[in-house]
Structures are given as structure tokens and as C-alpha cells.
Amino acid sequence: MNISKVSTTLCTGCMACVYSCPINCITININDEGFYFPSIDIDKCVDCERCLTKCGANRVQNVNRKPLTVLSAYRLNSKLIMRSSSGGIASLIAEWVLTNGGVIYGAIMDSNMYVKHCRINSFDNIDALRGSKYVQSDFSLVYKTIIKDCESEKWVAVFGTPCQLYGVQQYLGKYYDNLILIDLICHGVPSPGLFDKYIDWKEKTMGDGKIMDYRFRDKGLYGWDTVYKISTSNRVETAEATQDPYYFAFIYAKTYRECCYKCCFSNIDRVGDVTLGDFWGVEEDLNYNGNIAQGVSAVLCNTETGRKIIENIADGMRGIETTIEKVVKKNSNLIKASVRPAIRDEFYKNVNKYGFGWAYRNMKFDLYYYQEKVKRKIPKRMKTRLKKILKSRG
């Protein structure tokens, strides 16, 4: 018995199996859709089943844990919060860990627009961790250094999706009291291969050379919102998410990995010590009296370790206690997986056959899409004002 028995529709691509194999007979392959999958050399396999015992898809266990504390929060440094996607709490945690001699593991996007997890041990590199990256990160590069750092007893903070962090837990095989896991409220992940094809298409349509910088979330135009910013050497393009085909497909769950549509981590029994995400809809909470324009994070402290970490950074943030029900209201992936659209297979096949541009132009849209597209063109601050006016009129 080995990893080949695990269905490809359940594999998360965490690659814990690859680095757990004692005889190195498992390698990383990329399928037709551009996702990472393990591939095993059956002739070399000795059926030790170690890969199966480490596989999150094969052995997901309910940790039976609910948040101890739930906060709406944002960092007080107005300059640094503007460089973060939401409330800037992730970078505040990272800064605390580095200040106390620890190391950080998180996703960066390199100059080739490749998203990967890296080890950060200096403030000089922390800026690369800021901001959302809506593509599956290559986690394979960090397993061996994570375990070395955990054994050194320095603080080790790992940021990632719940399935990636579960892969870390399985790979390590034991508890480390110097390890902090910070999971993200995740909708699902498109493939690195799809993002590569999109970047190639985008560079051609922009017609101004290589893309030098890509930000899925930029606050320069409307503040806290889903606005992207793409920079070449001579041009900057900034627009709302629904104006971009890759971003649009991400928001409407059309391009996720198959396991994302049946994700067993989409619940409030979290893997991480801390869970972070956008606190969408916080302006509807009549008890909330904090800043909104620059971004607000939902913070779930799931363990005593997580609660202590948030207490340690309290001087740098404004935190207001709230309830999990309020967070879930517009973060449905805390209680259920994203719904698989019928167009999902067709889109990937069309991208491979006809190219990214053709696949997008021929994508079928429903009425809900057009309604949301109109709504998303209204700046967030204007929406907030309109809601307040309507509430005041009863």
C-alpha cells in the first residue's frame, strides 16, 4: 500500500508524502491542469506505508477545536497596514517572531511570478510576505528546514492554508512548543500552471514587456477592497477584481484544485494556532467602532499558544472582541467548502486547447455574475455610506 491509492480528487498537493519517503521513491509531477501531484516509482517502493500515514487526504483527523477568542483587528501603523491585504495582523505576528530571534515561513511571489514558500529570518525580506497570493504555493522547498528550525528551539512561525499546515503537522509527527501555525481562511487555490499561462497572456495584452510586480490586493485606489495592481517597467494597471479574467475566475470558484470543492478543513475546527482572514461585513456590526477603510482582519485564537501570540502583539494593534457567527456571515469557507461550478472542467480544457484568452471570452456567465460585477464597481467606502443612510431611514 502506498500513496497511489489516494484519489487525485482528494490530494491537496501538500507534498508531505514526498519528503517522508525513506527511500526517495516519490517525486513531484505537474498534471494537465498545472497542479502539483506526487508520483511514485512502484518498482522502488517497499510498501512501508509511511507516505500514507503522513498523507492529509488519507488521514484527516478532527482536532475537535473551536476558537478560544475571536477578534476584529487591525494594526495601528497606518503606513504598514496599507501594504497588507486586510488588517496587517499577519505581518505583525511575523515581526514579533523575528524580533524574538525566530524564523518565518510564508508564501512569496518571485520576479518570475512564481509563488513559493520560503524561509525568512531577516526584516530585510519580510515585505515579500505581505499581501495575498491567489495561486497554490509550492510548499516543497521548506519541509526539511522547518524540522531543523523546530529542533533548534527558536520560534518558528508557518503561514499557509489549512491543508498545507496539516501537511507540516503530519511530516513533523510530533508537537513542538516553539512552533506557531497560522492558517488562512481559504476559498480554494487555482493552479500554478494556470497562473503561468495567464501571466503570458496578460503580458501580451498589456503590450509593454515583462510584468515586474503583481499584487492581488492593492489599497491605493479604494482602500480595503479586491483591487489588483500590475506593474511593468513603463505601465501600471489597477482595477477591480471582476475586470480581470484570472481574478474573476478565482472569486467565483471556477479554477480551484478538485480537493478544494470537498475540503475537509472548511470548518471552525482549525489546524492553526491562529486563523486569519478578511473580516468582510464588519461594517454591519453595530457594536464595531474601529477603523474600516484601511482593512480589518478576522482573528481566531484557536489555542493557548495562539492567544498568547496575539497578546504579545496587542500594543501594535486595535482588537475588538466579536463572535464566530459574525465572522462566518461573509466567510462561508469557515463552515463549508466552495461549490464546484459546472464550468470548472471546461475552463481548464479550453485553456489547454485554445489558450487563456479564448477560454475566458467563451466562459458562460450567469445573472448573479453580472449583478456582482455592477456591485463591485461601487467603491467600498460608498457602499458603507449607502448602508448607513439606509439603516438611518429605517
Side-chain angles (χ1 to χ4, degrees), residues 164-226:
Q164 288 175 328
L165 299 192
Y166 189 82
V168 170
Q169 288 180 329
Q170 292 294 87
Y171 174 74
L172 294 176
K174 60 179 284 190
Y175 173 78
Y176 290 90
D177 58 12
N178 58 319
L179 174 64
I180 312 162
L181 299 177
I182 303 98
D183 72 47
L184 310 173
I185 301 174
C186 179
H187 309 283
V189 289
S191 77
L194 179 66
F195 189 63
D196 283 345
K197 291 176 181 178
Y198 159 72
I199 290 294
D200 289 344
W201 172 83
K202 193 66 179 179
E203 287 178 342
K204 290 174 184 176
T205 57
M206 290 182 73
D208 198 32
K210 180 179 171 61
I211 292 173
M212 310 297 290
D213 186 45
Y214 194 108
R215 300 182 188 181
F216 284 102
R217 303 280 295 278
D218 185 80
K219 296 177 178 176
L221 195 61
Y222 297 133
W224 180 37
D225 212 328
T226 52

Side-chain angles (χ1 to χ4, degrees), residues 70-82:
V70 181
L71 302 172
S72 57
Y74 56 89
R75 72 178 304 164
L76 299 175
N77 186 313
S78 59
K79 181 180 178 181
L80 291 178
I81 193 176
M82 288 297 288

